[in-house]
Amino acid sequence: MIEKNKNKEKIYRKKIGFKNQSDMKSFFSAKDITDSNINWQLIHQYNQRLIDLGNRIKSVTDSSLDIEKLINDRFDIIKSNNLINKLNNNGRTKEQVYFKMTQGYLAVLLFKPFIEKKLNCELIDNPKCGDYIPSVLTDSWKWERNHEFDLYDPNKKIYVDVQAAFTKLEKMDIKNHKLKRIESDYEYYVACFDLYDARYCIIDTKNISESDLYKNPSMENQLCYAVPKNLMEYWF
């Protein structure tokens, strides 16, 4: 009886146009649709804005970063590996998430030389950071948001997370998870850049205690540290 039912199921699949269960499963779940719902024209406009934005900020920094190459190379990896369909963040569209994540990563690389001078170190990308995408992807690699710091110096044992604000802020908040020191022999810093008013500060997390934190209602009452305005200096 079981074998007879299986044959009937196979006949059914064939009648509705499927050679095997795998094709049918993919079709029913719409997993075979990879980018028809992505607005690539909008993303190309976002890429051009990122290039223009990056070059404007670069003009008042010591960075030698090739902005156009960075954006185009990163986009090629994301599109060719269908990574954009993995993006999701609190109701934003995938295109918006792509723009925000790439904007943040751009800020990290633009200000890396500046941070290196301030901390007297040589920083490299942290491959564990969720915004980092290697030039060659392996089967085991996953693109996912996490709480890893953006940059580190393995010789001087320094971790740096870059927090960039591209809008006018009354204050800059650092979420509690960015203040936690995971490896006791490393120094942890959060480099905050207000790109709207050209101000910055670099926070040594060891100087912040739990009593300095507050529940931020705009972030679902997550514990945050409000960066004092008097610490923010002009970065150019």
Side-chain angles (χ1 to χ4, degrees):
M1 179 63 72
I2 294 176
E3 192 65 34
K4 185 177 180 180
N5 288 342
K6 283 186 177 180
N7 288 334
K8 200 163 187 177
E9 292 165 4
K10 189 180 292 185
I11 293 169
Y12 162 71
R13 287 194 295 270
K14 189 174 181 180
K15 278 183 175 292
I16 62 174
F18 298 104
K19 294 180 180 179
N20 53 58
Q21 292 185 54
S22 179
D23 289 346
M24 183 178 180
K25 184 178 180 180
S26 178
F27 184 88
F28 277 21
S29 64
K31 288 182 179 179
D32 58 317
I33 300 175
T34 55
D35 62 13
S36 63
N37 61 333
I38 302 298
N39 188 337
W40 294 109
Q41 182 179 358
L42 177 59
I43 288 179
H44 283 299
Q45 289 178 312
Y46 278 156
N47 284 344
Q48 189 56 53
R49 177 58 53 85
L50 289 164
I51 292 168
D52 292 345
L53 173 64
N55 282 323
R56 289 183 186 223
I57 296 172
K58 177 184 172 181
S59 69
V60 289
T61 70
D62 295 329
S63 174
S64 59
L65 187 65
D66 188 332
I67 308 292
E68 187 169 0
K69 185 176 187 307
L70 169 71
I71 298 301
N72 289 336
D73 287 354
R74 183 176 170 89
F75 171 71
D76 287 343
I77 295 172
I78 289 171
K79 186 172 183 181
S80 61
N81 290 277
N82 192 31
L83 298 181
I84 202 159
N85 278 296
K86 297 182 179 180
L87 295 177
N88 186 31
N89 185 22
N90 298 331
R92 289 178 180 169
T93 66
K94 292 175 182 178
E95 294 87 353
Q96 289 170 331
V97 177
Y98 164 80
F99 177 75
K100 289 297 183 183
M101 287 183 70
T102 307
Q103 190 180 52
Y105 186 65
L106 174 61
V108 170
L109 297 190
L110 267 174
F111 286 102
K112 185 171 80 166
F114 179 86
I115 299 168
E116 288 174 328
K117 284 184 180 179
K118 293 297 179 181
L119 296 180
N120 189 26
C121 63
E122 293 184 12
L123 297 167
I124 58 176
D125 282 358
N126 180 4
K128 295 180 182 179
C129 178
D131 289 346
Y132 173 78
I133 303 175
S135 56
V136 178
L137 304 186
T138 62
D139 292 338
S140 61
W141 184 84
K142 292 182 180 180
W143 193 19
E144 55 189 6
R145 302 304 299 270
N146 57 38
H147 298 334
E148 293 285 346
F149 277 39
D150 297 302
L151 304 165
Y152 76 117
D153 182 335
N155 296 316
K156 290 198 171 181
K157 294 190 173 183
I158 291 173
Y159 275 116
V160 178
D161 195 72
V162 179
Q163 186 165 305
F166 290 86
T167 57
K168 181 74 173 177
L169 296 177
E170 289 298 320
K171 59 184 175 61
M172 184 169 281
D173 289 315
I174 303 174
K175 292 181 181 179
N176 186 35
H177 68 76
K178 291 188 177 184
L179 302 172
K180 293 180 178 178
R181 305 164 65 85
I182 300 169
E183 298 178 47
S184 59
D185 58 337
Y186 268 76
E187 296 176 48
Y188 285 76
Y189 296 91
V190 180
C192 302
F193 291 90
D194 178 349
L195 300 181
Y196 198 90
D197 289 330
R199 294 175 182 268
Y200 88 98
C201 71
I202 298 177
I203 303 288
D204 186 341
T205 63
K206 75 172 181 290
N207 296 327
I208 300 174
S209 64
E210 285 198 21
S211 61
D212 296 320
L213 307 181
Y214 79 103
K215 289 184 178 180
N216 190 334
S218 67
M219 298 182 183
E220 298 178 339
N221 284 326
Q222 290 186 63
L223 288 175
C224 293
Y225 172 71
V227 178
K229 289 185 177 181
N230 64 305
L231 294 184
M232 300 292 289
E233 304 175 24
Y234 290 111
W235 47 261
F236 78 100

